[in-house]
Amino acid sequence: MSTPPLTDEPEEWPVTSSTDLHRDDWVMALRADHVQRPGHTDKEPFRRLVLEHPGAVIILAVDDEDRVLCLRQYRHAAQRRFVELPAGLCDVEGEDPLEVARRELVEEAALEAGEWTRLTSAYSSPGISDEQMHFFLARDLRAADRGDFVLEHEEADMETFWVPFEELRAAVLDGRIGDAPVILAVLMAHARGLVTPG
């Protein structure tokens, strides 16, 4: 028995019908697709919900002392205040995720970075969403002016603070932090030797 390739591959199954369950002028929508398994036209199509999402960027911003800029932000869907990293939506069609990351770091953290490293890209929940998250390590940080950008809603209540990387990694490993993007960013940066505990 041959082993399949150890890589994700593009594939598209036939959709016999698609219905918008919600779509408005925001960047996300929910639809119901009826999907047919290839080569099984004698079987009834099955229903799958799809949350359309433009994608997101997550920034692990690390200063010269190997401290990470963290945020504490309320998330209504989970009814929880999470320790997070600066992040944002790829809501300008065709914009390079790195440019989104640069903009989001200024808007959320009032910081610019002189050095950027792509950590990875990952799908957040491919069973229901097409959201792809793009992770970046930002170094050589300096203060930046937000310009006319104003924090609103949950962001207006957001706290920012600096945490030594080793403390953040320990909090990830012992389960005190449950935000998947933080976990992935910290573990990827450590596994690749880009940030190491002191």
Side-chain angles (χ1 to χ4, degrees), residues 108-197:
E108 287 204 348
L111 291 172
E112 292 177 333
E115 181 186 330
W116 290 88
T117 305
R118 182 183 171 277
L119 293 173
T120 193
S121 292
Y123 286 89
S124 61
S125 186
I128 193 167
S129 177
D130 63 353
E131 178 189 14
Q132 190 174 26
M133 302 180 295
H134 306 280
F135 293 82
F136 296 93
L137 171 64
R139 286 228 186 233
D140 186 21
L141 303 175
R142 58 191 171 274
D145 185 352
R146 285 190 172 105
D148 59 359
F149 181 80
V150 177
L151 297 170
E152 295 181 317
H153 311 299
E154 294 93 342
E155 288 182 342
D157 191 53
M158 184 170 64
E159 305 165 63
T160 61
F161 58 104
W162 292 93
V163 180
F165 181 80
E166 58 203 86
E167 289 183 23
L168 183 59
R169 182 173 166 267
V172 163
L173 292 176
D174 69 18
R176 283 178 282 144
I177 291 177
D179 181 64
V182 175
I183 295 167
L184 212 160
V186 166
L187 296 181
M188 280 297 296
H190 182 256
R192 292 180 58 190
L194 297 170
V195 189
T196 54

Side-chain angles (χ1 to χ4, degrees), residues 47-95:
R47 184 175 184 255
R48 289 293 176 264
L49 295 179
V50 177
L51 176 64
E52 296 177 9
H53 192 291
V57 297
I58 297 90
I59 305 114
L60 185 71
V62 181
D63 71 6
D64 294 340
E65 299 173 45
D66 283 346
R67 297 180 309 160
V68 179
L69 179 74
C70 292
L71 317 171
R72 280 179 43 86
Q73 187 170 350
Y74 174 72
R75 296 298 184 177
H76 181 70
Q79 297 201 332
R80 192 174 187 91
R81 186 176 290 267
F82 286 93
V83 173
E84 299 184 1
L85 300 173
L89 296 175
C90 299
D91 53 4
V92 177
E93 191 172 345
E95 188 174 18

